[in-house]
Structure formats: structure tokens, C-alpha cells
Amino acid sequence: MPVYQSSAFAFGSAEALAEAMAGPEGDCAYSRRGNPTVRTLERQVAELEGGRAALAAASGMGAISAVLLALLRPGDHVVAQRCLYGGTHAQLADLAERFGVEVERVEGGDVAAVRAALRPGRTRLLLLETIANPTCEVPDLPVLLAAARAAGAVSVVDNSLASPMLCRPIEHGADVVVHSTTKYLGGHSDVLGGAAVFADEELYATVWGRAVELGAAADPFAAWLTLRGIQTLPLRMRQHCANAELTAGRLAAHPRVRGVFWPGLPGHPSGAVAARVLDGGGGMLAFEPAGGRDAGREFVERVRVARLALSIGGVETLVTHPASTSHRELDDAELAAAGISAGLVRMAVGIEHPEDLWKDIEQALEGF
Ligand SMILES: *Cc1c(COP(=O)(O)O)cnc(C)c1O
């Protein structure tokens, strides 16, 4: 697919241009409304997720914000998983404070709590993530999405960390799937992007109109890079999962490691659900080096093959220490409530040779 690096497209007649502007299906007239390269990406992501239509956005937060702003009105009731991506959490808090949206936060792994929070005829939206970050909690999508439908709520699932290779939430009953394509779909840490996929064309048309107003459209070159990334998605995902499995298993047996979190590891609290919902454990794991907060911070500074950087889903292994970065505003008690210990290290496992990665981890664990 070539890059259509154009903001506007020329027409031969005023009537044809007017027709193009009628809705999301018309010819491309202006790239905030539609662009051929971006539309190819939208079709591919919709197909991968088993949806009817998709819209691409400038970032994952662009897609998530477009969906939330399009679907929510003041006073609406939202049920959201407690452990959500930080940007989504902040967006919901903002909608609650400035627009009076009532947000109820529940443990995604607690089916009874989610069911109890859904109010039939009142709840507008249920918001979940396929794999929560960094605890790797996997909510029981088939059960929870059916409960949302029964309550008349629209369900939105952030599938960024599983990718459609491991889970297709629409097959389990989701109405909307959102993605940070920055992560596994792009896959090379060189492009920001987002997407929202819809099971239903009506919902798509509603959100598309609001997204055009919001102006979070994907750039054609960013869309082209993402299309390039998607071509190797199955190969990369297989290697991410294999490397994460080997690394998680060895970490679990290491004398200087306390706990390891990875959905495919025996004994993970979400293990049984993950086995039903995911076609693989994914590339993200978390672990706790013996020695608490300082050990976690020192580990991420000692690695040499892996690098200390935000993000997930690229070909290279990235590590972070949530207690000193993404979750630095929480004290130890609040961290514990969020399921994150002060020493926890998050590792987005890349596709390097796993032995290179393991040697690096071993040297970084020396001395704890
Ligand atoms: C990164 C991420 C986002 C935000 O995506 P951006 O592309 O950074 O805007 C949203 N959800 C999840 C699960 C993510 O990992």
C-alpha cells in the first residue's frame, strides 16, 4: 500500500465532493475524515479483530478518548476495571470530575464484583483490558461481556497487550475493541497509533463522526508504518510469547526472585481464565527481585540487553520499575492495594535471542 501523503483530494464536480462528505463510506476528501492509506489500516485491523469497521487514530489514547467522548454523556454510569492503563484511568477521572460521569471501579478478576456493579438500564459502559498492566490479570471476558449485554451496557475492551493474535474480544461479545497500535501491531517502537474496532456499524458511524470533530486522525505515514508492522505480527507474537515463557519459568526458579507474574505461568491467579481466553501468555511479565524497592530500581539500571524505557510490544526488551515511575505517586499501602509491590519490575519481553536476554537478567540479579 503506498503512502497517500495528502491532506486533501481533488474532485471533478461539486456533486461528487458533496457525496464524498456524506459519511464514513464516501470517497476520501480530506485526510481528517478519511485517507486511502489510513483506510487500508482500518480494514486490516477490523478484519484481524473480526469487527465490522474500525477507525484509526493518532495514538491509543486518541482512539480511547474518541470512544469515551462519543459514547458518554454527563451523569452516565461507567463500570471500569481498577487496574487500567494510566492514561485511560486519568481520562475517566477527568470525565468524572468535569462532566459528572459516575465511574465505579471494580476488580476485573472478580466476576461477582463486576456483575454487582452493572446496573441494568443505567450503566452505559463497561471498560476492561484483556491483560492488565503490570499485574497480568486477565478478566473473564465471555462471562463479563455477556453480563454487560444483559444490563444494556456497551462493552469496550482494550486489547493492546494481547493483540488479535492472542484474543479477539468481539468473538467473546465485546461491542468495541480499542488498541494502542503503538504496541504489538506497530511492533518496532517507531510509530504512535491507535484504533477502535466496532462489532456494529451503527456504533462505528456515531464514533466516527465524533472522532472527525475531535481531530485525532491517524497520519498517513504512521498508518503505513503500522501496516508494515502488522505483516510480521504472527511471527513476532510467537517469539514474544516463547521468550516470555522461557524467561518467566527461569525467573520463577531463580533464588533471588520472589514472585513472577505471567498469565501462562502455573499458579498465576488468572491462569485458568487465561487458558480459556488467550491463545498464549503474551510478551509482558512482571517479577519481584528479592530486596524490595531498591532491588527493583537497581535491576532496571543494571540491564544492558534490555533497556529502561516505557512502552511494550516492540522487538526489543524494555523494563520499568512502576513504583518509581508510572506509579510513583502511590505509597506502599496504595501500591499493595493496586497489586503492585514496591520492588516489582515490569518486563516487556522482546524477540531477541532468549539466551542473550537471560544472561543479561542473570548479571543484573547478581548481588540481590
Ligand atoms: C500504551 C497503551 C495505551 C495508550 O496508547 P498510546 O499509543 O501511548 O496513546 C492504552 N492502553 C494500553 C493497554 C496501553 O498499553
Side-chain angles (χ1 to χ4, degrees), residues 108-197:
D110 185 342
V111 169
V114 179
R115 275 214 183 106
L118 288 166
R119 301 180 204 160
R122 164 84 177 96
T123 303
R124 173 66 175 144
L125 203 128
L126 171 68
L127 186 56
L128 300 169
E129 293 183 359
T130 335
I131 304 175
N133 174 9
T135 56
C136 299
E137 177 182 74
V138 179
D140 194 334
L141 291 183
V143 172
L144 300 182
L145 298 175
R149 176 140 312 181
V154 174
S155 55
V156 179
V157 179
D158 185 330
N159 198 32
S160 304
L161 297 191
S163 92
M165 297 313 303
L166 304 188
C167 184
R168 290 156 305 281
I170 288 173
E171 290 176 359
H172 298 299
D175 297 305
V176 186
V177 172
V178 290
H179 269 284
S180 169
T181 58
T182 311
K183 309 295 163 51
Y184 290 102
L185 293 176
H188 296 74
S189 307
D190 55 9
V191 61
L192 278 174
V197 188

Side-chain angles (χ1 to χ4, degrees), residues 238-287:
R238 221 173 288 149
Q239 193 66 27
H240 283 297
C241 289
N243 281 4
E245 181 171 17
L246 188 83
T247 306
R250 288 185 182 177
L251 280 168
H254 196 286
R256 294 193 179 109
V257 171
R258 285 215 190 107
V260 182
F261 303 88
W262 185 65
L265 203 61
H268 187 276
S270 296
V273 175
R276 267 193 291 120
V277 174
L278 303 178
D279 298 326
M284 182 183 69
L285 60 85
F287 69 97

Side-chain angles (χ1 to χ4, degrees), residues 221-241:
F221 185 59
W224 183 85
L225 282 171
T226 309
L227 283 166
R228 187 277 328 261
I230 286 174
Q231 295 179 56
T232 55
L233 177 66
L235 296 174
R236 286 185 287 106
M237 214 59 215
R238 221 173 288 149
Q239 193 66 27
H240 283 297
C241 289

Side-chain angles (χ1 to χ4, degrees), residues 59-151:
S59 68
M61 282 314 301
I64 292 164
S65 297
V67 168
L68 294 178
L69 292 170
L71 297 181
L72 294 175
R73 292 171 193 276
D76 274 351
H77 180 244
V78 174
V79 177
Q81 195 175 331
R82 195 181 309 279
C83 188
L84 276 183
Y85 179 72
T88 310
H89 184 83
Q91 173 69 280
L92 281 179
D94 202 34
L95 284 168
E97 193 195 309
R98 297 193 304 127
F99 296 97
V101 171
E102 190 190 342
V103 181
E104 198 166 335
R105 296 176 196 281
V106 291
E107 296 304 330
D110 185 342
V111 169
V114 179
R115 275 214 183 106
L118 288 166
R119 301 180 204 160
R122 164 84 177 96
T123 303
R124 173 66 175 144
L125 203 128
L126 171 68
L127 186 56
L128 300 169
E129 293 183 359
T130 335
I131 304 175
N133 174 9
T135 56
C136 299
E137 177 182 74
V138 179
D140 194 334
L141 291 183
V143 172
L144 300 182
L145 298 175
R149 176 140 312 181

Side-chain angles (χ1 to χ4, degrees), residues 286-306:
F287 69 97
E288 203 189 335
R293 181 181 287 267
D294 290 345
R297 209 199 51 245
E298 281 174 36
F299 178 90
V300 299
E301 292 174 351
R302 283 187 197 176
V303 286
R304 291 292 171 265
V305 174

Side-chain angles (χ1 to χ4, degrees), residues 18-19 30 36 40-41 46 64 80 118 127 150 207 223 243-244 247 253 282 287 291 304 317 335 337 352 354 361:
E19 225 169 78
Y30 186 66
T40 301
L41 172 63
I64 292 164
L118 288 166
L127 186 56
V207 178
N243 281 4
T247 306
F287 69 97
R304 291 292 171 265
T317 297
L335 280 173
E352 300 93 342
I361 293 169

